[in-house]
Amino acid sequence: IQLTQSPSSLSASVGDRVTITCRASQGISNFLAWYQQRPGKAPKVLIYAASTLQSGVPSRFSGSGSGTDFTLTISSLQPEDFATYYCQQLNSFGTFGQGTKLEIK
Amino acid sequence: EVQLLESGGGLVQPGGSLRLSCAASGFTFSNYAMTWVRQAPGKGLEWVSSISAGGFSTYYADSVKGRFTISRDSSKSTLFLQMNSLSAEDTALYYCAKGSSSFGSGSHSDYWGQGTLVTVSS
């Protein structure tokens, strides 16, 4: 199963609302997780089961979708949110998307 | 507090072997699936292998199947990755990650180590 994220990179400002899309090459129900990776750090899970917020993750992060199309939304960007985001499908092993780099405008 | 500490990385020649370890603490190791994920320099994340809580089910990416072997020792709360026939394409930071359930498939990773660097070069 292939995952395609869009966009590959994104420039935004603090306070902006941003959406990242992840499309699966075949249906994966809701077996999708989103991770954030800051430079030089290990990834951190934000969302699992497509829309469930991991404990301790700020509520400005949300996920939606089912089947083949999924989105990660950050409602109001904070300085610490500028990072790279990955989706991962868990329906068949654990393929990752190619990543979306979120940069400061 | 969950802690995952990888070790065993280093410089190895093409065709060589290396065994990575991941020492786990802060949770009941035998109850959770575990996963290895790698990241080549400047590149994205690549899922490598997962193992169920009991160690009976293992899963591998096509890129490593037949060359890598994942295993675990619950008596020592340690995860392993035996890597054989290494090539330059295996050069990466290797992360150990804890699964959110006992199942090796379908389990997202809720805690990650800081990684151990493997460099394959002559």
Side-chain angles (χ1 to χ4, degrees), chain A residues 40-69:
Chain A
K41 299 296 185 183
K44 167 189 169 183
V45 64
L46 302 173
I47 302 283
Y48 62 93
S51 61
T52 303
L53 193 68
Q54 175 74 10
S55 175
V57 174
S59 59
R60 62 181 179 273
F61 292 92
S62 63
S64 65
S66 183
T68 59
D69 293 315

Side-chain angles (χ1 to χ4, degrees), chain B:
Chain B
E1 179 192 6
V2 172
Q3 292 193 346
L4 299 168
L5 184 61
E6 302 94 337
S7 62
L11 176 63
V12 60
Q13 291 190 339
S17 299
L18 215 52
R19 189 193 198 202
L20 305 184
S21 300
C22 172
S25 61
F27 65 102
T28 305
F29 183 75
S30 59
N31 287 354
Y32 293 94
M34 297 294 293
T35 290
W36 288 100
V37 173
R38 68 184 181 184
Q39 187 167 35
K43 302 296 185 182
L45 301 173
E46 181 186 11
W47 172 79
V48 173
S49 182
S50 294
I51 186 168
S52 62
F56 299 110
S57 298
T58 57
Y59 309 86
Y60 298 95
D62 287 345
S63 58
V64 307
K65 198 174 296 182
R67 299 188 299 122
F68 289 12
T69 302
I70 191 172
S71 62
R72 61 192 297 160
D73 183 342
S74 289
S75 68
K76 297 180 179 178
S77 295
T78 303
L79 176 71
F80 302 101
L81 186 68
Q82 177 66 44
M83 305 187 296
N84 299 329
S85 303
L86 287 163
S87 70
E89 288 68 40
D90 298 313
T91 293
L93 185 65
Y94 284 73
Y95 291 105
C96 160
K98 171 187 168 291
S100 56
S101 77
S102 62
F103 301 108
S105 182
S107 176
H108 70 275
S109 297
D110 55 6
Y111 291 91
W112 297 63
Q114 290 305 305
T116 186
L117 183 62
V118 172
T119 303
V120 184
S121 176
S122 55

Side-chain angles (χ1 to χ4, degrees), chain A:
Chain A
I1 299 176
Q2 310 288 335
L3 294 179
T4 303
Q5 287 183 234
S6 60
S8 296
S9 63
L10 174 61
S11 294
S13 301
V14 172
D16 283 354
R17 177 185 179 92
V18 300
T19 298
I20 298 169
T21 297
C22 180
R23 176 164 288 178
S25 58
Q26 63 188 74
I28 58 170
S29 184
N30 69 336
F31 287 95
L32 189 101
W34 289 96
Y35 300 86
Q36 175 194 67
Q37 187 179 34
R38 297 187 176 116
K41 299 296 185 183
K44 167 189 169 183
V45 64
L46 302 173
I47 302 283
Y48 62 93
S51 61
T52 303
L53 193 68
Q54 175 74 10
S55 175
V57 174
S59 59
R60 62 181 179 273
F61 292 92
S62 63
S64 65
S66 183
T68 59
D69 293 315
F70 302 86
T71 59
L72 172 70
T73 299
I74 310 172
S75 60
S76 178
L77 276 173
Q78 298 302 300
E80 61 268 29
D81 300 337
F82 292 94
T84 301
Y85 293 85
Y86 295 91
C87 56
Q88 183 192 26
Q89 66 83 17
L90 298 151
N91 183 69
S92 175
F93 308 126
T95 322
F96 286 93
Q98 82 277 17
T100 296
K101 187 173 184 179
L102 179 52
E103 299 175 305
I104 301 174
K105 184 182 287 185

